Each structure stands twice: as structure tokens, then as C-alpha cells.
Amino acid sequence: MARITLRQLLDHAAEHDYGLPAFNINNMEQGLAIMAAADKLDAPVIIQASRGARQYANDLVLKHLIDGLCEVYPHIPVCMHQDHGNSEATCATAIQNGFTSVMMDGSLKADAKTPADYDYNVAITKRVADMAHWVGASVEGELGVLGSLETGMGEKEDGHGAEGKLSQDQLLTDPDQAVDFVNKTGVDALAIAMGTSHGAYKFSRKPDGAVLAMHVIEEIHNRLPNTHLVMHGSSSVPQELQDIINQYGGQMPQTWGVPVEEIQRGIKHGVRKINIDTDNRMAITGAIRKLFAEKPAEFDPRKYLKPAMDAMEKVCSARFEEFGAAGQASKIKVIAMSDMAKRYERGELTPKTTGVACAAE
Ligand code: G3H
Ligand code: 13P
Ligand code: ZN
């Protein structure tokens, strides 16, 4: 099956009331694990690569890896998405290398650390959306800055994310501004800020509405019922994965992620794409630590990478089921990017926002 665009996948998810996990990868084992889970459950796939992943794996290797996965599993539609693009060039080169979708994260400047102002975000996101839509690729924008409502701090982790203290205004996406942003940029999907952050250390206790502001999603969805919302930093950081890592020599301090039931609540209110990287990283690490502890004489990488893949597949399968994506792949007939480009040109995919904001006010 040909690669599919994010827009087509999220339109399908909206029509059938489900959400799609978007899994980060930077190597072959992660790609194989996602596809094995998708194959068993008949789930459509969103694979995403960060700038760091592209650097690590090499653009050409990634391109051929995804081609290989699509060839092995021709019945599974696969969207290849640029995660947190920081510039026009990052997004353009992603599309050049076979990505069918890009995120232009204009909430931060090109250094991926400094919060950007609204006008900068609108201008750069619109430029990328225009460029991507000419060739039928999809665009995700971000409004609001990811960070902790508990500490007020940006979420600089893994070399990405805002540095220093942020205001509540920055940490929570403003619903009225969201309408304006979608109107002015023409994005296909909107990532919003409401207290989630990347990595394992999201919350110091099981989150409640004070630190995980799900009501913001509901308010935005009321104003933008036709816009696909995206939750970043949405790993659940399961206790059992923390325990396996720590049982076999790891030293992860106790932490809490985004509970699956909160994501399911989001899916009822327009969330269609849910970004997950950390849970898979933890599953892989736990399995490898266990193997190393139990069989210290082992040195064949396949002996520890196979259990690592199995552990990741388990996480992916769980999320496909929990978000309602299982059983959906075979219902989708891929629209070619060239045909998507024509749909943009005809205005068929222009965000439907006019009137909606007024009606909600
Ligand atoms: O954006 C966050 C993702 O988890 C990717 O992380 O930049 O370390 O590849 P990364
Ligand atoms: P997690 O770190 O919670 O898995 O989030 C990943 C993400 O948002 C990638 O963009
Ligand atoms: Zn993210």
C-alpha cells in the first residue's frame, strides 16, 4: 500500500470517532515493532521522526526503511511524519525524503528552545502549510508551549523544548487564538499545550485537572469541531515499565505520565493524534536490562533486541486498542499525494472555521 497522508488518516479517525497513536522511531527495530502490532490488529500507522532521529538514522536509510516496512505490510497504510520541524528547510527536506506529513513547530524559534511570538508562529506555519499542500503533504502546527503546569518550567529534555520559566498564557493554548491560528495558517492538525511535556518526568503525582488541563481541549474542540487536535508528550509512563527498569539496575525516580483514560477523554473531544515515544523507549530499555541481568554472558544483539521489539510491540498494541484504531486499516483506501494536492487546490480541505467561533461565543 502507498504511504498515506496524515490528513487522510485523521479525517478517517474523526469520521469514525477514534484516535491514532503516533510513534517515534529512530531505528529498524522500532519500525518493525510498530508494524507487527499494526498488522496483528489491522491498525493504520503514524510513524514519526524527530530532527534528532533523522540525524541519527540518516534520511536515506529512513526513507528506505519505511519503503521496506510498506512493502512487507502492503495492507497497512503508513503515514511518515516529521516531528517538531523547526524551520521551512527541515519540513521541505522531510517531504523530499518521502515524508507525507510535517509538523512545523512555530511555538518555538528555529533553535527549538526560545518561545516564539504569535505573529512569527502564524507566518512560518502558513509558509510551510502552503508549500506542503502544493504537493499534497499534510501539516501539523503547534499553538502554546509545552511545559509543566506544576512547576511552570519549559520542558527542555532530550535537547528539545523551551528553556526556563513560562507564563500560564504560554502553557495553555488560548481557544480564541486557536481559531484565528487555524484560519490564518490552514493547518490540517493542531497541537495544543495543556500541561503535558516530553519525556518520563511529566508529573510528580497522578495528574488531576490542575496539572493536566483537559478542559482546554474541550474548549478548543467546542470552538473548532472540525479541526484535528494533537496531544504531544502523551506517554503514560506505566508503573510496570518503571518497575522493570528499576528492578534490573535502572535508577528512574518515581514519576507519572498521562493516564490512558485522560487520552480517551481527549479522543471524545477532537483529539486524533497522540504522540508517544517515551513509553516505547522504556519498554525497550526494560527488556534489554532484564536480558542483560539474567544472561550476562549474552553478546548477540539479536538476543536482547528481539525481546526489546516484543516489549515495544506490546505497548503499541495496547495503544492501538485503547485509542480505537484497531480494525480500521482495512477500511481505508489511500488517496495519492498528487490527488490530495488537487483537493487542497480546489479548497476542499480548507479549515472550516468561519461561523463556528461566532456560534460558540
Ligand atoms: O519530541 C520528542 C520526541 O520524543 C523525540 O525525541 O528529539 O530525542 O528524538 P528526540
Ligand atoms: P512522550 O515523551 O510523552 O512520549 O511524547 C512524545 C512526543 O510528544 C513526540 O513529539
Ligand atoms: Zn512532541
Side-chain angles (χ1 to χ4, degrees):
M1 190 179 277
R3 296 183 194 206
I4 195 168
T5 62
L6 183 72
R7 176 60 186 265
Q8 195 196 340
L9 276 188
L10 301 191
D11 281 351
H12 189 267
E15 197 185 330
H16 299 276
D17 293 320
Y18 66 95
L20 279 157
F23 297 120
N24 287 74
I25 71 161
N26 46 58
N27 64 34
M28 178 190 76
E29 283 76 12
Q30 292 172 309
L32 287 171
I34 296 165
M35 295 307 293
D39 179 45
K40 282 178 194 146
L41 293 171
D42 184 33
V45 164
I46 303 171
I47 291 178
Q48 53 188 10
S50 65
R51 283 187 301 138
R54 285 175 63 188
Q55 251 165 18
Y56 175 83
N58 184 296
D59 275 347
L60 280 178
V61 173
L62 263 186
K63 178 182 162 77
H64 291 288
L65 170 62
I66 304 303
D67 279 345
L69 296 175
C70 291
E71 215 173 306
V72 176
Y73 297 101
H75 49 291
I76 301 291
V78 177
C79 165
M80 186 63 200
H81 176 80
Q82 166 76 56
D83 192 22
H84 293 285
N86 65 325
S87 67
E88 295 96 324
T90 298
C91 296
T93 55
I95 295 170
Q96 199 173 30
N97 283 291
F99 288 54
T100 55
S101 176
V102 294
M103 174 188 193
M104 178 59 235
D105 182 356
S107 71
L108 301 173
K109 294 244 178 91
D111 64 6
K113 293 185 181 119
T114 313
D117 63 49
Y118 182 64
D119 290 343
Y120 171 94
N121 192 356
V122 168
I124 195 164
T125 306
K126 178 169 170 35
R127 278 200 297 280
V128 169
D130 287 346
M131 179 269 296
H133 291 166
W134 290 331
V135 295
S138 317
V139 177
E140 172 186 337
E142 174 163 329
L143 186 62
V145 184
L146 296 188
S148 165
L149 290 169
E150 259 184 297
T151 63
M153 295 301 283
E155 52 113 48
K156 190 172 175 307
E157 195 174 322
D158 301 328
H160 180 102
E163 285 178 333
K165 200 96 179 158
L166 297 165
S167 67
Q168 285 276 317
D169 279 2
Q170 290 172 303
L171 286 166
L172 293 173
T173 303
D174 176 69
D176 290 323
Q177 201 173 49
V179 177
D180 188 61
F181 184 80
V182 170
N183 251 329
K184 286 185 172 148
T185 59
V187 288
D188 301 284
L190 179 67
I192 56 176
M194 71 314 174
T196 64
S197 52
H198 294 127
Y201 304 103
K202 302 179 194 302
F203 306 108
S204 66
R205 57 186 159 88
K206 186 166 190 267
D208 56 21
V211 294
L212 178 59
M214 296 302 293
H215 65 92
V216 170
I217 291 180
E218 298 177 9
E219 285 164 33
I220 294 173
H221 182 57
N222 279 340
R223 297 230 199 352
L224 285 171
N226 300 309
T227 297
H228 307 309
L229 303 181
V230 182
M231 282 176 71
H232 279 249
S234 290
S235 276
S236 303
V237 196
Q239 188 63 49
E240 67 267 23
L241 293 182
Q242 297 183 48
D243 292 344
I244 291 175
I245 289 173
N246 287 336
Q247 185 185 343
Y248 294 102
Q251 292 184 5
M252 286 190 71
Q254 179 62 46
T255 180
W256 280 264
V258 183
V260 166
E261 60 271 20
E262 296 295 342
I263 297 171
Q264 288 167 330
R265 179 176 158 196
I267 292 170
K268 291 200 179 89
H269 297 278
V271 170
R272 299 290 161 226
K273 173 173 180 278
I274 302 103
N275 284 13
I276 294 171
D277 188 356
T278 296
D279 284 353
N280 287 328
R281 293 178 179 195
M282 290 176 68
I284 289 169
T285 299
I288 293 178
R289 279 194 172 280
K290 182 168 186 291
L291 195 291
F292 282 174
E294 288 174 349
K295 297 189 179 160
E298 194 52 72
F299 59 86
D300 178 347
R302 291 169 298 184
K303 293 286 175 7
Y304 52 85
L305 291 177
K306 181 67 176 76
M309 277 196 276
D310 292 344
M312 173 159 166
E313 183 187 328
K314 227 170 119 186
V315 173
C316 296
S317 296
R319 299 299 174 266
F320 281 135
E321 302 237 53
E322 289 155 351
F323 302 165
Q328 300 291 346
S330 51
K331 297 184 191 159
I332 298 170
K333 191 170 172 297
V334 174
I335 301 173
M337 270 175 72
S338 51
D339 289 330
M340 290 299 283
K342 287 183 199 138
R343 295 184 68 197
Y344 286 112
E345 204 180 335
R346 290 197 292 265
E348 285 171 29
L349 301 174
T350 304
K352 296 187 190 79
T353 57
T354 3
V356 169
C358 305
E361 273 158 15

